[in-house]
Structure formats: structure tokens, C-alpha cells
Amino acid sequence: MEGLRFKVIGEAFAKKPLDVAMPCERPSEYFGKKVFNREKMYKYLPKAVYEKMIDVMDNGARLDRDIADAVASGMKQWATENGVTHYTHWFQPLTEGTAEKHDSFIEHNGKGGMVEEFTGKLLVQQEPDASSFPSGGIRSTFEARGYSAWDPTSPVFIIDDTLCIPTVFISYSGESLDYKAPLLRALKAVNKAATDVCHYFDPDVKKVVSNLGWEQEYFLVDEGLYAARPDLLLTGRTLMGHDSAKNQQMDDHYFGSIPERVAAYMRDLEIQALELGIPCKTRHNEVAPNQFELAPIFEDTNLAVDHNMLLMSLMKRVARKHGFRVLLHEKPFAGINGSGKHNNWSLSTDTGTLLHAPGRTPEQNLRFAVFIVETLMGVYRHNGLLKASIMSATNAHRLGANEAPPAIISSFLGTQLSELLDHIEKADKDDLFRLDGKQGLKLDIPQIPELLIDNTDRNRTSPFAFTGNRFEFRAVGSEANCASAMIALNSAVAEALTDFKIRVDQKIDSISKNKEFADGRHNPVMHAIIDVLREDIKTCKPIRFDGNGYSDEWVEEAQKRGLDVEKSCPKIFERYLDDSSIQMFESLGVMTKKELEARNEVKWETYTKKVQIEARVLGDLSMNHIIPVATAYQSRLLRDVERMRTVFPTEKADELSARNLKLIEEIAHRTASIETLVDELVEARKIANRLADEHQKAIAYHDNVTPYLDAIRRQIDKLELIVDDALWPLPKYRELLFIR
């Protein structure tokens, strides 16, 4: 054991970066090389088919089956010219990952030979044997029918020799079994609701698009060291490990020079990502040692989600080539920063960005204020649901620690924006309006200065912060599918905007009957918008918080404000089944109650299984790795004490052996504690496993099993400081956390 550990460490430190063949072209020339994008469509599709496809992609027109064969033929020609032999429907089941089943193009030609064939039917829909994917009770195991259907708004791409077709995944009876289907519905809902509100200000707006820019944080560890840590291998995080004497306290890794091996990996990753149409923009060292970040240019939310899922898979593949393993777990190492995936979210129209200020006119600034406030309304009404959308067994370790936002959803706006909303809310209504001859109503809303990040300090403890022309949803975890948070957020905003329009229209009808407006010089629409906006500014004020989200005082204050302060992961999931959540999702056509109940069954079961695996791994490592090594070292110390007594008088021997005797006693105490705690852990698991209800089982695992993981770890981490370093069987933090 001693030789293996140090051999692995030595090999890791001796590794040199691979030479990465840089393409001769500029990135702009090979960007999208492996994507059937508009340029490829124009080349490989008949003009009429191309125009219909653009209408489908841009305007949501229905995809006619009569053009599917022509599209499939063009795709196959392009794909085979690029060495493709297989195709797959690429979808996102409720496993947090992606799924694919590869089929070749070949079919019998009826003459004893084969022919390459790919029809519109195969492109548009398939029936994967998908009975083993989690469905939360929607389907029995013996009911294998599940349908994947092409999403033409997300372009087809090539991985190796396979044509990958992004699809939704639904059950035989029509319920969604994936993340993409409800995401597309949520985006449709926010498009309709936001477009309707935009028409108050600009009747020419045709559509509103939800935009997303994610910031993917991750850790890299040497592959050999990773393989020597069974806990990393099986759970994605270290279940034990004492702090390194030096970790991130010097802040020297953050934005520092990228290590040579890592830079080679990043270059390779970016080249392959750009070829797949993923618009990688930023790379840098993050705060913790071995932690890095990659961020793209903003895209439509649906495409951004697909690109993030594709990138996470690509990161793992490329890392193996460079002798690394990527860790996407939100908290792979205790005592240092975890990894998030900040979701920068915004809304834009075919005429501009809705969350951008200042506008050219007071009305444009009013529109800006409306969309800011209605976003806050959605977040306020469904703050518990938004927390549930980003919660998981893994992200629970990160939230509220080492610069991660707390598990209470609040929004930081900054001084300028807060003052603007306060002005609209508190100013005397007569002061907000004035007449200007024939031009009619003028809005006394002060000109909004450019809302830039550097005009206001950042609040790292805010889970949902306004950062210039977007909101940054910072609580999303690094290994999560962004779709979960985006489904909840876009739905909440769509509901708020829908409700806003209903109330404004009612207000317009009421105001228009007032004699003051009979002369036509007053604008009832603007008056109605201001009235409703002022109501909503006051209503959603509890979600606005600019202070320290880590403080105990904030927890107490948040509870008084009516915000969700629950910390138990299984109980947080319950927010999906609140009456308000079900009503919102069903009214918008995003998900049914049945689908929500099924998803929660999956969430509770997934939580239980992840904690269960961690408990089993920790028990095994404790009993088969740590205790044998600790007792072996204890035996060595005992032999030293015995030998002292053969050389020195008893009194002198005891004096010289005092330290060893103290260590022997401490090792005995800690190993006995570990054995007892492991036995109790196993018993707690057995009791929890007897519960048939997945909800109650998950709660039992959270309340009665997870406390043992920390308790056992504390004992092991103390032993790590005692036992001879040459005997310790697992690579330590000081070895794992510094790439050379």
C-alpha cells in the first residue's frame, strides 16, 4: 500500500502536458464545423425546404412531415461526407445526464447487399427501449415504450462517427420524461406572456426570447490520484481528508497563471467545443486550487442548455486524454470553495434586450422597470420552488459555504436600481405624471444611468443578483442540468407577466371610464401600468435583500418576510407539489400534476441512492482501509514502547514513551468510535430502507443517515494527522489539490 500511493503521486507530478495540434484556421473558420447549422442547411437542402426549416426554427412554425425526408436526406449527405456511419436521438432523461442509442445507416437493399438509408421518419421520431430510465411511477418496468422526437430548434451535430439529433423524450401516454420537453413549454409560455406585455410599449415586437449564459466551474485532478481514491471514483467527492496546510487562503490561484498541463487541456477542449458550435469565450483559474471555469457567449436558453450538457460530456472525454479527471460535484473537497454554474438569465426581443437600461425614452425605461419588477414578482411568489429547482444531494454541500450563496432565495439589485424602484413606489402619483401640451402624458421617471456591474458592488451571498442587463442565478450547482432552474424561472416570470397584463387591462378599462381621460390628453395605458407596477414593487419587496446572506440574522429576517428557509433537501423538493406550483405549471401548460408528482418521486429516490452510496463507500473505507492502517501504526508504537522498556528503567521508559502512549490511546479511542459509528450508520440505513414511501425514506436518510457521514469523517481526519504518512493508504488533500 505504501509503495502504491507514492508511486501514483510520483507519476502524477512527473506528467508533462500533451502537445495539442492547433488548427491552422482561426476559430471563426472552424466554429460549427461539426454542426448542421444554417450554413449547412442552405447548402444541403432545397431552397423551399430550407425556408420552411428557418420558419420552424425562428417562428415556431409546425414541422411538416412532407419536408422531413428532404431534411433527412440533406443531413445524411453532409454526415456521410464527414465520416458518419451511425445516428442517435440524443435526449436528457431524469438522470441529470444525457442518453443515446446508436443505429447505423445501413439497411438491406433487397439484393443481398446493404444500402445507407436515413428517412424523415427516422429523423423525426424513434421509440427507444427506455423502461429503465426513472419515471417516478408514470410507467411500470415492463412498459418500455417511450418516444424521442426531434427538436429542430437545436441543431444536429457530429460526435466521432455518430450524427446526434437533439430530441425530447416522452412516455407512451404523452407525459414528459426528460428536461427538454417542459423547458420548451416554459420558453413558449414566457415568450407569449412577455410579448403581450411588450405590446403596451411597442406593437411591432414579434417574439421574446429567454437567453442564458452559464459559467461552468469544475475541478481537475490527476487520473492516477483519482483512481487511488475510491470515494472520488464512486461518489464524486472526498468523504474524508484533512485540510491541506495551504489551500486557497492566499488567493494566489484565482485568476493566476494557468498551469501548463491545464492550459493544454483547455485548448484541446475549446477547439472541440467550438467545432460543435459551443461559443466558448472565457477560461480562468477559480478560487480553489485545481478549480477552473469556462463560460460561453449568451445563447437562446434551449440551445444553451443543450450546449452545456454536451460540454460536460466533452470535458470528461478530453480530460482522460490529458491524464486528468474532471470533478463536477458541487463540493468535492471540504474546506475550500465548491463549484457552481451561475446561470446568467435575460429576456430579449427581436428589437433588443428587455433588461437593458437606459432607454431612449421614459416609456422605454418604464418597460425596463416593468420587466425587472415582474421578474422579482415571479421569484418572490415561487422562491421555494426556485430553491427546489437547484437543490440536490450534492449541491446541498455547497450552498451557504465558501462564497456560495445561501439556501434562501433573495435578490440583490444594487443601489441605482433599488432607488429607481423606491422612487416609482413612493413618489406622489401626481409627481410621476405631467402634461406637455399636445404630446399628452410625460412620465416623471428619472433617466436611468448605465447599469453596469462596476457601478455597484457585487454581493456574493445573493442567489439571484441583477448584474447590469441580466439576473445571475448563482445557486445552480456545477453538475446540474440548467434546464431544471430555467423551467422554474421562466415559468415563474411567465406567470407574473400574465397576471400583470390581466390586472393592467382591468385597470385600463376602469381608468378609461374616468372623466379625466375623456379629452384624450391622458394615456390610460401608462397610468394603468404605473398603478399595477407600484403595487407589485411593494408586494415583492421582501425578496430584495442587499445584506450578508450568511448571517444568522438574515435567516430570522427571511422567515419574517415569508421566504422559504428550509434546509432539508427532501423537504425542499416538496415545493414542487405546492398548490401554487401545480397551478402555475398547469395553467401555463408546462407540466401536469401527474408529471410533477412523478418528478418528485425521482428526486427523492435519487437523493436516497446518492446518500446510500456515500454511506456504503465510507463504511467500506473505514473498516477495510483506515482502521487496519491505524491499528498497524498503533502496533508499531506499542512495539517501540516495549523496546524502550527493555533498554531503560521503567520510569525512564515511561517518560520517553509518553508521546507514543498518548498516541496509542488516541488511536484506540478514535478507531473504536469509528467502528461504533459505522455500526450505527448501517443500522440507520436498514431502518430507512424499510420505508416504502420514497418521500419518507429520503427524509429518513437526510435526518438519520447523513449526520453519521460527518461524524465518521471527523474521526478519520484526526487519524490522518496521527498515522505515519508513509502508511496512509489514500492520497491526501495536499497531493490532490496541486497540479504540477
Side-chain angles (χ1 to χ4, degrees):
M1 187 66 72
E2 172 185 340
L4 174 62
R5 173 176 165 233
F6 284 99
K7 179 175 183 291
V8 168
I9 295 168
E11 289 175 347
F13 287 173
K15 282 181 178 172
K16 300 295 182 185
L18 293 177
D19 290 330
V20 179
M22 297 293 289
C24 298
E25 312 100 320
R26 296 187 299 271
S28 59
E29 294 175 330
Y30 60 83
F31 178 75
K33 176 182 177 182
K34 297 183 178 180
V35 181
F36 194 68
N37 53 23
R38 294 172 190 241
E39 179 185 358
K40 313 290 193 329
M41 287 182 188
Y42 186 80
K43 178 179 179 181
Y44 287 91
L45 301 183
K47 182 179 179 181
V49 174
Y50 169 79
E51 290 174 350
K52 287 185 178 181
M53 279 300 302
I54 296 302
D55 191 30
V56 169
M57 295 164 61
D58 289 348
N59 304 316
R62 182 174 295 276
L63 176 67
D64 295 329
R65 287 297 184 100
D66 60 354
I67 70 166
D69 283 333
V71 175
S73 176
M75 278 186 186
K76 182 175 76 71
Q77 181 183 350
W78 168 72
T80 53
E81 288 175 5
N82 284 273
V84 169
T85 57
H86 289 67
Y87 67 93
T88 182
H89 275 202
W90 182 82
F91 56 97
Q92 300 167 29
L94 302 178
T95 59
E96 301 295 334
T98 59
E100 53 198 66
K101 181 187 76 171
H102 296 197
D103 288 300
S104 71
F105 286 138
I106 62 170
E107 296 288 348
H108 285 293
N109 66 359
K111 301 176 182 178
M114 291 288 182
V115 62
E116 286 77 21
E117 185 175 278
F118 184 57
T119 65
K121 181 181 178 180
L122 297 175
L123 166 65
V124 172
Q125 180 177 310
Q126 280 198 313
E127 182 190 325
D129 180 7
S131 58
S132 295
F133 286 114
S135 68
I138 285 180
R139 299 177 304 160
S140 301
T141 302
F142 61 85
E143 295 172 325
R145 288 191 187 274
Y147 295 103
S148 54
W150 177 35
D151 169 20
T153 64
S154 185
V156 170
F157 56 91
I158 294 172
I159 296 289
D160 297 330
D161 63 353
T162 303
L163 184 70
C164 299
I165 305 162
T167 63
V168 299
F169 181 48
I170 60 175
S171 72
Y172 177 74
S173 49
E175 293 90 0
S176 63
L177 297 172
D178 69 343
Y179 284 101
K180 180 182 276 285
L183 175 64
L184 290 173
R185 295 172 191 155
L187 297 178
K188 179 181 178 182
V190 80
N191 173 24
K192 182 182 185 307
T195 300
D196 288 346
V197 172
C198 279
H199 286 165
Y200 287 135
F201 306 95
D202 183 358
D204 294 330
V205 170
K206 295 182 175 63
K207 66 177 180 178
V208 173
V209 175
S210 168
N211 303 119
L212 171 63
W214 38 263
E215 302 171 23
Q216 181 68 61
E217 295 177 340
Y218 61 97
F219 281 85
L220 290 174
V221 295
D222 185 88
E223 189 167 27
L225 298 175
Y226 173 87
R229 290 287 308 222
D231 49 354
L232 271 182
L233 185 68
L234 297 174
T235 74
R237 76 179 180 110
T238 53
L239 299 175
M240 61 190 73
H242 198 280
D243 290 349
S244 171
K246 179 185 183 298
N247 47 52
Q248 67 183 43
Q249 65 266 51
M250 299 300 294
D251 296 320
D252 53 343
H253 186 69
Y254 189 49
F255 279 21
S257 177
I258 299 173
E260 190 178 359
R261 281 181 65 197
V262 177
Y265 161 73
M266 287 179 170
R267 287 193 295 272
D268 199 357
L269 174 63
E270 285 184 6
I271 291 168
Q272 296 189 42
L274 288 167
E275 288 181 339
L276 287 166
I278 305 173
C280 299
K281 177 73 172 178
T282 302
R283 66 188 186 200
H284 63 83
N285 289 1
E286 257 300 336
V287 176
N290 283 21
Q291 187 185 34
F292 308 94
E293 181 180 297
L294 183 153
I297 300 171
F298 275 60
E299 299 180 284
D300 290 359
T301 294
N302 179 45
L303 182 57
V305 169
D306 282 1
H307 278 166
N308 183 246
M309 297 303 293
L310 177 57
L311 181 85
M312 288 193 289
S313 175
L314 188 64
M315 289 168 72
K316 296 173 184 178
R317 289 171 44 135
V318 177
R320 298 289 298 273
K321 175 181 172 182
H322 290 261
F324 288 126
R325 286 296 185 112
V326 169
L327 303 182
L328 293 175
H329 192 292
E330 283 80 4
K331 197 74 171 178
F333 303 102
I336 60 175
N337 278 20
S339 293
K341 179 152 51 194
H342 301 176
N343 278 207
N344 294 277
W345 171 89
S346 188
L347 294 174
S348 62
T349 73
D350 46 320
T351 60
T353 303
L354 291 176
L355 302 184
H356 181 72
R360 292 188 299 273
T361 67
E363 286 84 355
Q364 288 178 337
N365 285 335
L366 177 60
R367 185 186 70 174
F368 166 78
V370 165
F371 278 92
I372 290 292
V373 171
E374 294 314 308
T375 298
L376 294 177
M377 282 291 288
V379 174
Y380 171 60
R381 286 174 175 163
H382 296 286
N383 69 93
L385 173 65
L386 286 172
K387 181 163 70 173
S389 76
I390 56 87
M391 185 54 68
S392 66
T394 54
N395 203 23
H397 293 290
R398 162 185 169 256
L399 295 178
N402 297 94
E403 294 193 359
I408 301 173
I409 300 299
S410 65
S411 184
F412 170 79
L413 300 181
T415 304
Q416 293 175 350
L417 189 49
S418 293
E419 289 178 352
L420 169 68
L421 299 188
D422 290 343
H423 173 76
I424 297 173
E425 177 199 358
K426 296 176 181 178
D428 187 280
K429 188 174 180 182
D430 291 336
D431 292 338
L432 281 174
F433 303 102
R434 60 186 173 86
L435 295 176
D436 187 21
K438 294 181 180 180
Q439 295 183 17
L441 180 69
K442 287 291 184 180
L443 302 174
D444 181 28
I445 297 178
Q447 181 70 12
I448 305 172
E450 192 75 35
L451 292 170
L452 300 175
I453 293 176
D454 57 0
N455 279 358
T456 182
D457 200 0
R458 295 189 67 187
N459 188 328
R460 289 185 175 276
T461 69
S462 178
F464 195 78
F466 185 76
T467 56
N469 59 0
R470 62 191 180 275
F471 281 96
E472 185 177 15
F473 196 2
R474 302 183 64 248
V476 182
S478 54
E479 73 174 1
N481 187 326
C482 299
S484 179
M486 291 297 101
I487 291 167
L489 176 58
N490 283 285
S491 297
V493 174
E495 182 193 53
L497 289 168
T498 300
D499 179 64
F500 175 82
K501 186 175 189 304
I502 291 172
R503 289 182 293 133
V504 168
D505 287 346
Q506 291 171 346
K507 209 64 121 160
I508 292 171
D509 289 341
S510 175
I511 291 175
S512 297
K513 297 173 184 177
N514 193 312
K515 292 182 180 179
E516 292 182 23
F517 292 83
D519 60 6
R521 298 180 67 192
H522 292 73
N523 186 331
V525 174
M526 292 299 112
H527 271 271
I529 289 173
I530 287 288
D531 282 348
V532 176
L533 183 63
R534 283 156 66 98
E535 293 171 5
D536 288 352
I537 290 173
K538 184 175 181 179
T539 299
C540 70
K541 187 169 285 189
I543 203 69
R544 291 161 52 186
F545 177 65
D546 293 354
N548 180 11
Y550 290 159
S551 68
D552 294 335
E553 292 79 10
W554 167 232
V555 177
E556 184 178 343
E557 171 65 20
Q559 197 162 17
K560 290 179 182 177
R561 295 186 183 193
L563 304 182
D564 192 307
V565 298
E566 179 61 62
K567 294 182 179 180
S568 167
C569 186
K571 291 181 179 178
I572 290 171
F573 291 149
E574 295 171 11
R575 300 287 71 77
Y576 273 99
L577 301 180
D578 287 347
D579 290 343
S580 59
S581 299
I582 295 172
Q583 166 65 23
M584 177 188 72
F585 284 126
E586 289 195 329
S587 67
L588 296 172
V590 175
M591 284 186 281
T592 65
K593 181 179 180 181
K594 182 178 180 181
E595 288 173 315
L596 290 167
E597 289 173 340
R599 283 164 189 269
N600 261 33
E601 286 291 308
V602 173
K603 288 178 181 293
W604 286 320
E605 184 179 4
T606 300
Y607 177 87
T608 296
K609 288 179 177 178
K610 286 191 175 183
V611 176
Q612 186 180 69
I613 291 170
E614 288 189 351
R616 294 176 67 180
V617 170
L618 183 59
D620 172 61
L621 289 177
S622 299
M623 303 306 294
N624 294 314
H625 288 68
I626 304 304
I627 288 181
V629 167
T631 53
Y633 183 59
Q634 185 184 47
S635 297
R636 180 191 293 181
L637 295 176
L638 283 167
R639 288 194 296 271
D640 288 346
V641 171
E642 290 174 357
R643 289 168 183 163
M644 283 284 188
R645 286 174 176 168
T646 63
V647 176
F648 299 101
T650 301
E651 185 175 340
K652 185 67 173 177
D654 288 346
E655 179 186 342
L656 295 173
S657 302
R659 180 177 180 277
N660 281 5
L661 289 169
K662 184 178 179 181
L663 292 177
I664 290 167
E665 184 178 354
E666 184 174 355
I667 291 171
H669 169 72
R670 296 196 182 281
T671 54
S673 294
I674 292 171
E675 289 177 337
T676 300
L677 289 168
V678 169
D679 288 343
E680 293 174 358
L681 170 64
V682 171
E683 185 59 28
R685 277 176 37 220
K686 288 179 179 178
I687 294 172
N689 289 339
R690 296 189 193 110
L691 298 172
D693 183 83
E694 290 295 344
H695 185 196
Q696 295 304 315
K697 185 185 292 187
I699 290 174
Y701 262 86
H702 176 273
D703 294 349
N704 304 326
V705 176
T706 57
Y708 284 107
L709 302 181
D710 290 334
I712 294 170
R713 177 178 190 141
R714 281 193 292 272
Q715 299 297 330
I716 294 175
D717 289 356
K718 291 296 184 182
L719 284 177
E720 184 182 316
L721 295 178
I722 296 171
V723 173
D724 187 340
D725 182 65
L727 294 178
W728 197 253
L730 305 175
K732 298 182 178 182
Y733 273 23
R734 67 168 184 261
E735 296 150 358
L736 289 165
L737 285 173
F738 298 94
I739 293 173
R740 291 174 172 78

